[in-house]
Amino acid sequence: MIQVQELTKRYGDFEAIQGVSFSIGKGEIVGFLGPNGAGKTTTMRILSCFMPPTSGSGSIAGLDLFRNSLEVRKRIGYLPEHPPLYPEMTVRGYLFFVATIKGISKREQKAKLSKAIEQCGLVEVQDRLIGRLSKGYRQRIGIAQALIHDPEVVILDEPTIGLDPAQIIEIRRLIKSLAGERTILLSTHILPEVSMLCNRVIVINRGKILASDAYEKLTSEMDRGQRLHLKARGLDVERLRSLPGIVDVQSEDADSCLVEAEQGKEMREAVSRYVISQGWGLLELTSKSLTLEEVYLRLISESEGYSA
Amino acid sequence: MKGLWAIARRELQSYFASPVAYVVFTIFLLLSGYLFFNALLYFNLFSLQASQYPWMAQQLNINQMVIQPHMHNFVVLLLFVIPLLTMRLFAEEKKQMTIELLLTSPISVGQIVLGKFLAAFVVFLGLIVLSTTFPWIVSAISDIDIGPILTGYLGVILLGGLYLAVGVFASTLTQNQIVAAVVSFGLLLLLYILPFASNALPGPMAKVISSVGFAEHFEDFTKGLIDIPALTYFLSLIVFILFLAKQIVESVRWR
């Protein structure tokens, strides 16, 4: 659905993105992950035909981003970082305006307008002025604006930024409900969001793609071995470290530690038996997979040239 | 085309959603009304004197003494008013980042620029229509030649079109409304005063310079002439400046 090759965007001497290539299949929800200034917004602006790259090419639904720009724009819903709203308009008036410039015919307008308003939970505020609404509502209007013309591809730049936890959950539910028929690319630096919403993660830093894979695959690939969280009264980290098959033990506080095992080895049994044999009071022993946070930090720090 | 109308309609709505249009209307009508009243008073005084001197009475011409100055007042008043009407058009879109919505929608930049120009033009026309009440009143109580009034107003409309185009252009340059207003005011003033140099310059240069300014072309209309070169001057300059504005808006794409 979305394909880009070797995108590079230069602002003067500064290269915002360098040689970015990826492809996204139909119906996928892909998370675009990276620290601030990594090039997420630049990439999304190129995909939404806001601006062309310095070099490289891309296509959406088989249409070239630059030669068929108008056709591509009909098929894309784009929520920029700042929702593009006119404070002096009512919610309904604004969405009506967007529907018109997105080229929706008069006949369909009413139905699509109602659908978007309902889908984004704007029914009770539809006749209010946008300028008087809270940030959460504005964000939802921004999303409604991106969905109103039933686009095949939806690009959301940080859709949950600045929202309170309840609103975040709502927006995520909304995004999830869009899955299936639509292809979604969303950027974020909130990591749990990615693991909750996305089939796939693209990690970007300093304008370069570091990884692009399914979330589970990414975390297991980075995983060097099994990791156990151990909590035991009277624990002695030094003695535990001497246990064969254990690579590293990091103590967290007096009673708990993180145990890293050799790759491919099941250590839970051995560790628990050892703890009992030492006479420590076993309180907790859980297997931990690498969190996205850790993968992310590892990728980012590796790309910056030092290890985590 | 649908996009163009949508842009124009939205822009018109937002003119009247803020106090700007109302304030501009009020001040403009107040000032032009006062100036018109002045011209009438002057004419009145003159005709009283003329009753004593028959040769003077022959020179009395209400078109020349009241209507023509009325048209000329527009040149100066609109110079102040139109930058206020146009400053918001693109500067605000840039500041609020709503320009991203417009540029990622399936409409051309030409439609965006024309739509905005059209909206401002409609507001301006409203202003002009309201200002026709002054000549209306005079025509009801005196013997007045309607022809020069019509051509004069055609001239005012073309002049306003030029001012608006320059204002739209200035608004594309910045995201600061004040800067946009100052730039359009400066450009328009420059076009106005450019011919001033023609007195001091040698023949051909003087001709060129005075025909670049709009005063000379506007003059024809107030005298009751529809002059093809003047018409061409205004229309081509409007199209050219709007084209420049379109290029500037589009330049975010290749910058």
Side-chain angles (χ1 to χ4, degrees), chain A residues 51-70:
Chain A
M51 60 188 185
T54 311
S55 66
S57 66
S59 69
I60 282 184
L63 295 161
D64 189 273
L65 283 180
F66 323 110
R67 261 169 292 157
N68 293 316
S69 172
L70 282 179

Side-chain angles (χ1 to χ4, degrees), chain B residues 2 18 23-24 51 57 75 87 128-130 182 194 228 232 248:
Chain B
K2 242 170 45 186
S18 79
V23 171
V24 164
S51 61
V75 176
M87 64 183 187
I128 293 308
V129 167
L130 287 176
V182 170
L194 214 53
I228 297 296
T232 321
I248 302 269

Side-chain angles (χ1 to χ4, degrees), chain B residues 15 78-95 163-189 241 248:
Chain B
Y15 267 120
L78 290 176
L79 202 64
F80 290 98
V81 163
I82 286 192
L84 298 178
L85 285 180
T86 53
M87 64 183 187
R88 211 194 73 254
L89 292 172
F90 280 95
E92 187 72 359
E93 299 268 6
K94 286 186 175 185
K95 189 156 195 190
Y163 281 18
L164 289 166
V166 170
V168 168
F169 168 76
S171 188
T172 62
L173 298 172
T174 167
Q175 48 171 282
N176 185 319
Q177 295 193 31
I178 308 293
V179 172
V182 170
V183 168
S184 50
F185 177 70
L187 287 175
L188 289 172
L189 200 60
I241 293 170
I248 302 269

Side-chain angles (χ1 to χ4, degrees), chain B residues 6 30 39 105 123 139 155-156 177 216 226 252:
Chain B
L30 215 66
S105 293
V123 173
S139 76
V156 169
Q177 295 193 31
E216 181 189 291
I226 299 182
V252 291

Side-chain angles (χ1 to χ4, degrees), chain A residues 8-47:
Chain A
T8 298
K9 177 76 193 177
R10 231 174 268 125
Y11 298 103
D13 283 339
F14 174 67
E15 274 197 332
I17 55 172
Q18 322 164 17
V20 165
S21 308
F22 58 84
S23 71
I24 298 173
K26 196 176 160 66
E28 267 191 290
I29 302 188
V30 174
F32 213 27
L33 199 59
N36 292 326
K40 293 176 300 212
T41 297
T42 303
T43 311
M44 291 183 141
R45 281 182 162 176
I46 292 170
L47 282 174

Side-chain angles (χ1 to χ4, degrees), chain A residues 2 22 24 30 32 40-41 43-49 60 65 72 75-81 142-143 145-147 151-159 178 182-187, chain B residues 104:
Chain A
I2 304 177
F22 58 84
I24 298 173
V30 174
F32 213 27
K40 293 176 300 212
T41 297
T43 311
M44 291 183 141
R45 281 182 162 176
I46 292 170
L47 282 174
S48 62
C49 301
I60 282 184
L65 283 180
V72 170
R75 290 170 169 75
I76 291 186
Y78 173 49
L79 170 69
E81 221 172 335
I143 294 176
Q145 162 273 130
L147 298 176
E152 295 165 54
V153 175
V154 181
I155 297 173
L156 305 170
D157 200 349
E158 312 217 342
L178 300 174
R182 296 191 177 83
T183 308
I184 301 173
L185 176 64
L186 64 93
S187 81
Chain B
T104 57

